Amino acid sequence: MTNVAEAARAVLLTADPRAKVAAARKAARDWRLGRLDHAFDLVMPDRPARPAEPELLPPNRMPKRGRAGSERSRIAMIHALAHIEFVAIDLAFDLVGRFGAHFPRGFTDDWMRVGADEAMHFALLDRRLKALGSRYGAMPAHDGLWEAAEATAHDPLARLAVVPMVLEARGLDVTPGTIVRFEEAGDHATARILRRIVTDEVRHVHAGTRWFESLCAEKGIVSETTWQRLVSQYFRGVLKPPFNDSARDSAGLTRDYYAPIAQG
């Protein structure tokens, strides 16, 4: 029997997208079936393995995608979403392998499940790209998500504050509008995939918020003001409306967290 850290590290060190999806599913299944020890005896890599494509560019050099009106712009948008889900696989397993020892077993339960979800999301979007005559890697992508992981690699509270509670929560805000644009363009197949993703994202943000609050309570610190301090320190962007308050509230991420530091 191997352990959680070994399984998480194996996912991170797998570059090929299909192989990474398979490794993520295997790790989550092995944990669920009791095949992995709850042990964290390995150091996670500073960066995960990446395929030769897509080319990774700074966010400010990314080409404009448009608003899903043409098939070309829809493919570009799906590709961008696929890349987000691809990186999210690594973010979930890095969270387990890097910080799992700070939490009870339920933390690993949640983030193994999240990792499996992200693998499924990527596989759905990758398949959709192929159905539209494209593929993952055919366009450039940016590395901003992993930069957030690097900035918070030393602190589980900072990682939870920035990755699930800011970056993934932003998906709750913007995905419903993206679904509408795909529906208006007649691309109902992609819209169905995005509905599945945003439903799962509520659970992911909820997991992040719950474990953030749990660790704050253990440390005897106030979760909302701690979150605001960490986001101000480690998140390079700005929090700005519109916010999907109802979805955020369902995930436990109430306005008490983000309203005091939101801009605009």
Side-chain angles (χ1 to χ4, degrees):
M1 176 183 286
T2 185
N3 63 43
V4 172
E6 290 178 83
R9 185 177 172 87
V11 174
L12 289 161
L13 293 180
T14 301
D16 178 77
R18 288 187 178 182
K20 188 182 288 288
V21 167
R25 288 171 169 167
K26 182 179 187 304
R29 182 173 61 251
D30 285 348
W31 172 253
R32 188 178 67 251
L33 296 176
R35 297 171 181 166
L36 300 177
D37 288 329
H38 188 248
F40 303 90
D41 57 356
L42 291 175
V43 176
M44 294 299 106
D46 291 335
R47 289 186 60 82
R50 286 284 178 261
E53 296 177 312
E55 178 188 8
L56 297 179
L57 300 175
N60 60 3
R61 287 185 52 204
M62 286 293 295
K64 300 298 183 184
R65 295 192 299 267
R67 294 179 57 84
S70 67
E71 183 174 280
R72 181 177 178 179
S73 66
R74 292 199 305 276
I75 289 172
M77 191 173 294
I78 296 167
H79 190 278
L81 294 169
H83 181 68
I84 289 170
E85 299 297 337
F86 183 73
V87 178
I89 300 170
D90 290 322
L91 290 171
F93 284 97
D94 185 75
L95 189 59
V96 171
R98 188 176 299 272
F99 298 121
H102 295 264
F103 297 92
R105 292 179 67 94
F107 179 87
T108 298
D109 289 339
D110 281 348
W111 294 105
M112 283 289 198
R113 190 178 304 119
V114 170
D117 285 348
E118 308 293 17
M120 180 265 290
H121 296 165
F122 171 78
L124 290 172
L125 291 167
D126 184 43
R127 189 181 310 148
R128 184 64 185 144
L129 283 172
K130 291 172 183 172
L132 292 170
S134 188
R135 59 180 176 82
Y136 176 64
M139 301 176 183
H142 72 76
D143 205 29
L145 290 175
W146 194 257
E147 289 174 0
E150 290 177 326
T152 58
H154 64 292
D155 184 351
L157 277 176
R159 176 66 64 85
L160 290 167
V162 172
V163 175
M165 297 176 71
V166 172
L167 298 178
E168 193 146 16
R170 191 60 182 160
L172 302 182
D173 303 331
V174 302
T175 305
T178 304
I179 292 170
V180 170
R181 291 198 290 275
F182 276 98
E183 291 283 16
E184 289 175 345
D187 190 343
H188 306 299
T190 302
R192 283 194 297 271
I193 294 170
L194 297 184
R195 286 194 191 92
R196 172 63 186 270
I197 290 173
V198 77
T199 298
D200 290 342
E201 281 177 342
V202 172
R203 288 191 294 101
H204 301 176
V205 176
H206 186 266
T209 304
R210 183 161 64 89
W211 289 111
F212 182 86
E213 291 177 346
S214 173
L215 190 53
C216 284
E218 183 181 315
K219 292 176 176 290
I221 54 180
V222 178
S223 56
E224 292 86 352
T225 54
T226 300
W227 183 84
Q228 291 155 16
R229 174 179 60 81
L230 291 170
V231 170
S232 298
Q233 184 174 356
Y234 293 108
F235 179 55
R236 295 181 179 178
V238 296
L239 301 182
K240 56 185 180 181
F243 298 112
N244 187 343
D245 292 327
S246 61
R248 285 169 170 256
D249 194 61
S250 296
L253 187 61
T254 64
R255 287 185 59 82
D256 292 338
Y257 279 98
Y258 56 88
I261 61 172
Q263 297 188 17

